[in-house]
Amino acid sequence: MTQLVHGNAELRLAINGLASNICLVPTMGALHEGHAALIKAAKNFVGRDGCVVVSDFVNPKQFGQSEDFKKYPRDLEHDLKVARSSGAHILWAPSVEDVYPGQWPLDIETDPRFEILEGKSRPGHFAAVIEVVTRLFDIVQPNVAVFGEKDFQQLIFITNMANKRDPKIGILAIPTKRDSDGLALSSRNIYLSSDQRNVAHLIPDALKAAVLLASKGFSVRDIKEQVIQTISQSDLISLEYIELLSNDLTPITPGVVGRILIAVKLGDIRLIDNMPILLKENS
Ligand code: AMP
């Protein structure tokens, strides 16, 4: 049975009534099978005596002015169903005041890598993400927190923050859940028109083709060119960036597994995806 709680005191009471091994799954709600995979992994990880807390909070601070904060999908009843069927113990839906109570300044250590990839088109985004996750950690005090590789850049920064700030908190990373055509599940997919949805498979197609070319020894330039060609098969998709980087977001090294990361727009809808990639040595 999943307990729905709102305020911080109510949350603490619910946690205290349960076990001591606490696993937090931070989300912005609009839960889908990708989130369900995270909750199930959390449940597996903490075992019988653990307690899985799913936070459901659309963080206003991490949306830019021109972004979709107001129209971001919210449906607590649906979220409760997904949390329940995935085995969460607590669904915690705090208010803005619960997460940002009065004067409670936090020093967020910035990083030049906050400005690349997602950070380039979303200024201030990662500082806001790190701030909210820090606050969620302070309130919930988890032993483990679970995040998706879908947001790879975010995962790197959160792992760094946790290692520096509170190394006792373990970070569990879960591979991206995809639809049957390969499109990464995302809360924003519901906004795609049927025409846009029909061509969205070109995003994972392009990444998969890139991974294959890398294994055959093609250069970064040729791989990027192939991605551009695949994406441009549809004029409904425009490419924002395609980058091949190491797993710490520095330049990729041949012979060491890195990441290929992409952002595209379909109309107003911005989608991101990534996959592991291994460039052959001497490529
Ligand atoms: P969000 O609600 O979009 O902020 O995502 C909450 C968590 O779910 C983040 O750790 C995401 O990386 C993760 N997530 C979102 N989509 C997926 C997916 N398709 N597969 C796995 N994890 C995901």
Side-chain angles (χ1 to χ4, degrees), residues 206-279:
L207 296 186
K208 277 189 268 175
V211 170
L212 191 64
L213 291 184
S215 72
K216 291 182 175 165
F218 281 75
S219 68
V220 169
R221 222 183 77 180
D222 289 347
I223 293 170
K224 284 186 175 180
E225 189 49 44
Q226 178 61 48
V227 169
I228 293 167
Q229 277 183 27
T230 306
I231 292 297
S232 57
Q233 284 175 41
S234 167
D235 54 14
L236 296 180
I237 312 182
S238 60
L239 182 66
E240 201 171 283
Y241 64 74
I242 178 74
E243 294 295 344
L244 284 83
L245 293 174
S246 69
N247 279 339
D248 65 358
L249 307 175
T250 55
I252 192 164
T253 310
V256 180
V257 176
R259 284 273 153 175
I260 180 163
L261 305 108
I262 191 169
V264 302
K265 275 190 107 171
L266 294 100
D268 288 343
I269 301 136
R270 196 168 173 284
L271 298 179
I272 58 171
D273 199 353
N274 67 82
M275 286 184 190
I277 195 163
L278 179 61
L279 284 177

Side-chain angles (χ1 to χ4, degrees), residues 120-282:
K120 209 166 182 179
S121 61
R122 309 183 73 186
H125 174 72
F126 286 116
V129 168
I130 294 305
E131 177 177 1
V132 76
V133 174
T134 305
R135 290 183 186 279
L136 297 178
F137 282 7
D138 283 353
I139 298 167
V140 178
Q141 295 171 23
N143 304 93
V144 182
V146 186
F147 295 88
E149 289 183 0
K150 160 84 172 28
D151 298 279
F152 190 76
Q153 199 179 0
Q154 163 181 294
L155 170 66
I156 302 303
F157 300 147
I158 290 171
T159 307
N160 284 348
M161 177 276 283
N163 287 345
K164 279 192 191 161
R165 205 168 177 272
D166 196 347
K168 287 195 301 297
I169 301 178
I171 303 293
L172 198 61
I174 305 299
T176 302
K177 266 274 197 208
R178 298 176 180 279
D179 229 329
S180 53
D181 64 349
L183 178 67
L185 298 180
S186 162
S187 306
R188 291 186 169 99
N189 291 354
I190 55 167
Y191 296 129
L192 297 172
S193 69
S194 56
D195 285 349
Q196 289 169 333
R197 181 64 192 82
N198 286 338
V199 296
H201 65 87
L202 291 172
I203 308 162
D205 288 355
L207 296 186
K208 277 189 268 175
V211 170
L212 191 64
L213 291 184
S215 72
K216 291 182 175 165
F218 281 75
S219 68
V220 169
R221 222 183 77 180
D222 289 347
I223 293 170
K224 284 186 175 180
E225 189 49 44
Q226 178 61 48
V227 169
I228 293 167
Q229 277 183 27
T230 306
I231 292 297
S232 57
Q233 284 175 41
S234 167
D235 54 14
L236 296 180
I237 312 182
S238 60
L239 182 66
E240 201 171 283
Y241 64 74
I242 178 74
E243 294 295 344
L244 284 83
L245 293 174
S246 69
N247 279 339
D248 65 358
L249 307 175
T250 55
I252 192 164
T253 310
V256 180
V257 176
R259 284 273 153 175
I260 180 163
L261 305 108
I262 191 169
V264 302
K265 275 190 107 171
L266 294 100
D268 288 343
I269 301 136
R270 196 168 173 284
L271 298 179
I272 58 171
D273 199 353
N274 67 82
M275 286 184 190
I277 195 163
L278 179 61
L279 284 177
K280 256 192 155 173
E281 267 167 302
N282 308 320

